[in-house]
Amino acid sequence: MVTLSDFTERQLLSDYKFLEEAARLHDVAQRSEAPRPARQLPLGLQNFVDEAQRRGIKYELLPPGMQRRKQNSSRFDRRSRTIFWHIHWHFPATNESVHDLRVSEQTPLKQILQQHISLAPGNSVKRHALRQYVEAGLENLQILMKKEHCPANKPEFHQLDIDKFLRQQLSGKAVIEFPVLIVLLPEEDKSYSIMQDAADVQDTDAKEAPVSTIV
């Protein structure tokens, strides 16, 4: 140990170099530190994402806390190997929206939509609000799905086949959290830019079973 009276300029320089080297080594260590692994999703949610992608769906999650993320009730059932989707239906002519909490991907779109406009116990209020669609008739309605990541001033829409299964209709399309489907009256489609679909992602297991479940 050097006393203050014996402290020389040479020793001061030595201490300075020591501190400078320590700072350099600390900086090198920080730069070479391995990047932290990305936060992993809960197992159930990761399974859902994997299964959606396996079906050819370009699936995207929003950050936790976002309204659409909190609304999403979609689930993958491992026992039946089936995705049950949360679906948001929008009826622009009446500015009404309804949600299906869990719909089997093996359900035809026509059957899902029919639940909202047909006569059924407890359905009178909803049916009255959608009376224009009821009067038009299910066979005359069109179902669109907005193409994601289009410019806000140039939206484009996929036209869905009302007779096909939900799984078939989502394959090859981007879905953010859950599908939002737009129901149009006859002639109303003139206000929408409808694109010709060419699915660019393949469903690796496209067989459909005649099972329909709506919750």
Side-chain angles (χ1 to χ4, degrees), residues 143-157:
I143 302 177
L144 304 184
M145 178 176 170
K146 186 177 179 181
K147 181 182 178 183
E148 301 294 353
H149 306 303
C150 285
N153 61 340
K154 291 184 178 180
E156 293 185 324
F157 298 84

Side-chain angles (χ1 to χ4, degrees), residues 179-190:
V180 178
L181 306 184
I182 303 166
V183 185
L184 300 184
L185 296 169
E187 305 299 323
E188 202 176 12
D189 60 337
K190 294 178 181 179

Side-chain angles (χ1 to χ4, degrees), residues 59-174:
Y59 188 72
E60 300 177 40
L61 286 170
L62 293 174
M66 299 291 286
Q67 181 65 21
R68 199 161 166 180
R69 177 76 176 271
K70 291 191 290 185
Q71 285 182 325
N72 193 2
S73 57
S74 305
R75 294 291 182 271
F76 172 66
D77 182 71
R78 296 181 65 183
R79 181 174 298 179
S80 63
R81 309 298 300 173
T82 301
I83 289 180
F84 290 82
W85 285 100
H86 182 122
I87 300 179
H88 176 184
W89 294 92
H90 182 57
F91 301 83
T94 56
N95 198 29
E96 293 287 335
S97 291
V98 295
H99 291 255
D100 288 311
L101 298 184
R102 293 185 187 176
V103 179
S104 169
E105 63 184 347
Q106 298 170 2
T107 312
L109 283 175
K110 179 185 289 185
Q111 182 176 334
I112 308 170
L113 179 58
Q114 191 171 28
Q115 303 294 316
H116 300 295
I117 62 174
S118 63
L119 278 173
N123 200 32
S124 58
V125 174
K126 182 194 303 180
R127 193 170 185 270
H128 178 74
L130 301 176
R131 60 189 178 278
Q132 292 185 49
Y133 297 88
V134 175
E135 293 167 358
L138 185 63
E139 66 281 359
N140 295 316
L141 302 178
Q142 294 188 61
I143 302 177
L144 304 184
M145 178 176 170
K146 186 177 179 181
K147 181 182 178 183
E148 301 294 353
H149 306 303
C150 285
N153 61 340
K154 291 184 178 180
E156 293 185 324
F157 298 84
H158 305 281
Q159 183 167 8
L160 307 187
D161 189 333
I162 197 170
D163 292 310
K164 290 187 177 180
F165 293 99
L166 177 61
R167 173 170 174 165
Q168 292 173 297
Q169 293 296 277
L170 296 183
S171 182
K173 300 176 180 66

